[in-house]
Structures are given as C-alpha cells and as structure tokens.
Amino acid sequence: MEQGKLFLCATPIGNLEDITMRVLRTLKEVDLIAAEDTRNSLHLLNHFDIHTPMTSYHEYNKIEKAYTLINKMKEGKNVALITDAGTPGISDPGEDLVRLCYEAGIEVTSLPGACACVTALTLSGLPTRRFCFEAFLPQDKKEKQVILEELKTETRTTILYEAPHRLLKTLKELYEALGERKLTLCRELTKRYETAFRTTLSGAIDYYGKNEPKGECVIVLEGRSLQEMQQEEQQKWEEMDVKSHVKLYEDQGMDRKEAMKRAAKDRGISKREIYAMLLEQ
C-alpha cells in the first residue's frame, strides 16, 4: 500500500487573504487536518468552505498523537498540519511531528505562506541579511538567563515573540541584560490595526509602562555592534599590562614568541613594540 504524506500548511497570521491557493486546495484534498486548536481552525475552514475532517494536535498530545497520525499515513492517508496562525513547525509542536515522520519514513512537504517572524523582520527597518529567531524566551529563570547571556554578544538582528501581558516584563529583562538597543515592536501583524513601533528598549519600557499593550507582539531587536565589541576588547587589553598579557598566552601553553605575537595582534601593535614594552617593565 502506498503511504500517505504530511503537508505543512501555512495559514494566515491575521488577514485571511494571505492564505495561498495551494494551501486551500491541499486542505480540501487531504484525508485529515491536524490542527493546534480545532475550534480556532474551524472558523478558517468554514470561511473557505472546507469540510475535511479535523483532529487536534497540540503541545500536550504532540508525541502520542504524532504516532497516531503516522499510523494513518502508513495506511495511505494524507494529513495536513496547521497551526493557530502562521507556518507549522515554527515555535510550535509541529517540529516533533516532522522529526517523527522522517524517522518513520513518511514523506513531508512544506507549503510556504504567512510567518510572523519573517513578516516582522521585513517590516522592522533593521538589518535583514543576518538574523536569529529566539521565539518566546523560556519561562524557567535559569534557562532564560542562559539565553540572555548569549544575546549580549549577538551581532545579528534578533526576533522574539511575546504575549501582551508579559511584554513589559520581557522588555525590562532585555534592557537589564543587554543595555540600550534599537528595536521595532510589531503588533497585530497583517490586521487592521497593525503597528510597527520603531524605538529603543528604554523607549518601549517607558511607553508600555503608561499604555497597556494589546495583541500578539513580535520584538525585532538590533544586534550588538561589532565595532563596539572590538573597541571594548581593545580597551580590555589596554587596561592590562603587557607582561600580564603575554603571560596569559604562555599559561595556555604558547612559547614566548607566539605569546608576544598574539598580544601584539590583540593590541593592534607590532611584536617589536611588545618586546620593547617588556624590556621597560
């Protein structure tokens, strides 16, 4: 018997006109639709007159239900996966289903469409060539601290999701960990009251301290300046005396010549100057 296939179907993040013709056709043709929230997805299906049977697939049944869906696909059924909004597998349990399908030898295809993180990035006015996606910061304090430490030296534009009731707290945590950064805060993407608020972390904290945030939020955060990091690194070496600087590398197992060469590179001077400074000390 020919096996079925998993179709990852991107659905609108707000504006229903953003659904693709290919997704609409697929949702009508598959045998079953696995939805993150069947009640929410029913509105979408009714709007487009789609009557394909639905089943729930969410964070709390993602492993057990994945095997049920895989068994159906092994029996020849085609299954479409949809999330509440956007592209399945991005910050949702869809990634687990995809992994398990590959392990079971089930074919997977992704039908592109709306995605909040990319929509916000292109709307932000911040650099788009290099970026990273953090989704929601972890609720666990230790895990969150690890991520914030990593973001301190992240030079790429960073995209984060946040719910309105946690937005102000998250902005304060980012400011405390990273210092001042430019950002664009996108709300209600593709909807009637879509906004892209270009400001800074301190500006956003001040604004949302006085104005209650509404709607799902995407924070697009400026990366750390590479030039600024280099200047800080240079200042760190300049504050250290040359003898200690050379010894730092010798303690790592380098011979004297190589240690002097590395110290010279750190300080942006010649090895001869390092040698002369060592003689003076």
Side-chain angles (χ1 to χ4, degrees), residues 130 153-155 223-233:
R130 297 174 67 248
T153 55
E154 178 57 73
T155 58
R224 183 79 186 280
S225 164
L226 192 58
Q227 182 180 6
E228 183 181 297
M229 290 175 64
Q230 290 171 338
Q231 288 173 345
E232 285 186 6
E233 186 75 6

Side-chain angles (χ1 to χ4, degrees), residues 3-7 30-32 72-73 76-80:
Q3 290 192 142
K5 189 173 178 179
L6 177 66
F7 295 82
V30 294
D31 301 289
L32 181 66
K72 290 184 180 296
M73 287 182 273
K77 305 291 187 183
N78 287 318
V79 176

